[in-house]
Amino acid sequence: MKSMFNLDVVDRKILRILQEQADISHAALAEAVGASPASCWRRIKALDTAGVLGRTVRLVNPQMVGRGLTVFCQVRMKSHDAAARQNFERFVESHEEVLECCSMSGDWDYLLRVVVADVADYERLLMRGILTHEAVAHSSSHFALKSVKYSTAIPV
């Protein structure tokens, strides 16, 4: 596990703003956090180098691109040996409709967040992919009716 980066008040302000508006100019960011543009740039570079900041992306509205159905799929494995887990994780990584996959404690081994066009689209993934995978014993699917809260911003 990586050690925690020591953040001061200005670093935290920078992180909060960048998480909401990644395309803000250095000048506007510096003004918003009360620092010089050069100082702001150095801080961003240090945060980037330390691994505090990841890649910059633009978030896509799933409904606008025909991916309006979110499904949470719980998966139970037949076996928990390293090879079976690695094989399943490679399978998950190869499917772009699986946005997240978490190894879980409790009754289920994995939790997948899947974004698809519709129920038929999900059924294809489930029946021809997940349930036919050699390492999978069972699955349980939960369809999101609406998103009440969605954020990518980490509290800092």
Side-chain angles (χ1 to χ4, degrees), residues 27-40:
L29 180 60
E31 183 177 330
V33 302
S36 72
S39 170
C40 227

Side-chain angles (χ1 to χ4, degrees), residues 74-87:
Q74 296 170 303
V75 175
R76 185 171 296 128
M77 306 294 283
K78 289 178 185 173
S79 168
H80 294 94
D81 66 82
R85 287 191 322 264
Q86 288 173 354
N87 188 7

Side-chain angles (χ1 to χ4, degrees), residues 18-40:
L18 287 178
Q19 288 186 95
E20 295 298 325
Q21 190 181 353
D23 60 350
I24 190 171
S25 71
H26 283 121
L29 180 60
E31 183 177 330
V33 302
S36 72
S39 170
C40 227

Side-chain angles (χ1 to χ4, degrees), residues 18-23 55-65 99-100 113 150-153:
L18 287 178
Q19 288 186 95
E20 295 298 325
Q21 190 181 353
D23 60 350
R55 61 194 169 113
T56 302
V57 299
R58 294 293 304 255
L59 301 178
V60 174
N61 181 332
Q63 288 82 13
M64 298 298 292
V65 295
L99 299 187
E100 293 182 73
R113 183 167 69 98
Y150 173 77
S151 178
T152 61

Side-chain angles (χ1 to χ4, degrees), residues 35-135:
S36 72
S39 170
C40 227
W41 182 85
R42 282 192 299 276
R43 286 172 178 271
I44 291 170
K45 286 298 175 196
L47 292 165
D48 193 35
T49 300
V52 175
L53 290 172
R55 61 194 169 113
T56 302
V57 299
R58 294 293 304 255
L59 301 178
V60 174
N61 181 332
Q63 288 82 13
M64 298 298 292
V65 295
R67 297 285 180 135
L69 181 63
T70 298
V71 184
F72 294 93
C73 178
Q74 296 170 303
V75 175
R76 185 171 296 128
M77 306 294 283
K78 289 178 185 173
S79 168
H80 294 94
D81 66 82
R85 287 191 322 264
Q86 288 173 354
N87 188 7
F88 179 73
E89 290 172 11
R90 277 194 304 274
F91 165 81
V92 167
E93 289 171 357
S94 73
H95 285 78
E96 67 180 5
E97 59 268 76
V98 179
L99 299 187
E100 293 182 73
C101 174
C102 297
S103 176
M104 305 296 290
S105 64
D107 292 336
W108 296 94
D109 298 310
Y110 289 94
L111 177 63
L112 313 179
R113 183 167 69 98
V114 180
V115 178
V116 290
D118 52 30
V119 173
D121 198 18
Y122 178 68
E123 182 185 26
R124 277 189 292 282
L125 172 66
L126 181 66
M127 298 302 200
R128 296 181 189 163
I130 295 169
L131 291 178
T132 61
H133 192 279
E134 62 192 19

Side-chain angles (χ1 to χ4, degrees), residues 8-21 29 153-156:
D8 67 15
V9 173
V10 175
D11 291 330
R12 290 177 191 281
K13 286 180 183 178
I14 289 171
L15 292 175
R16 281 193 285 275
I17 292 169
L18 287 178
Q19 288 186 95
E20 295 298 325
Q21 190 181 353
L29 180 60
I154 304 298
V156 291

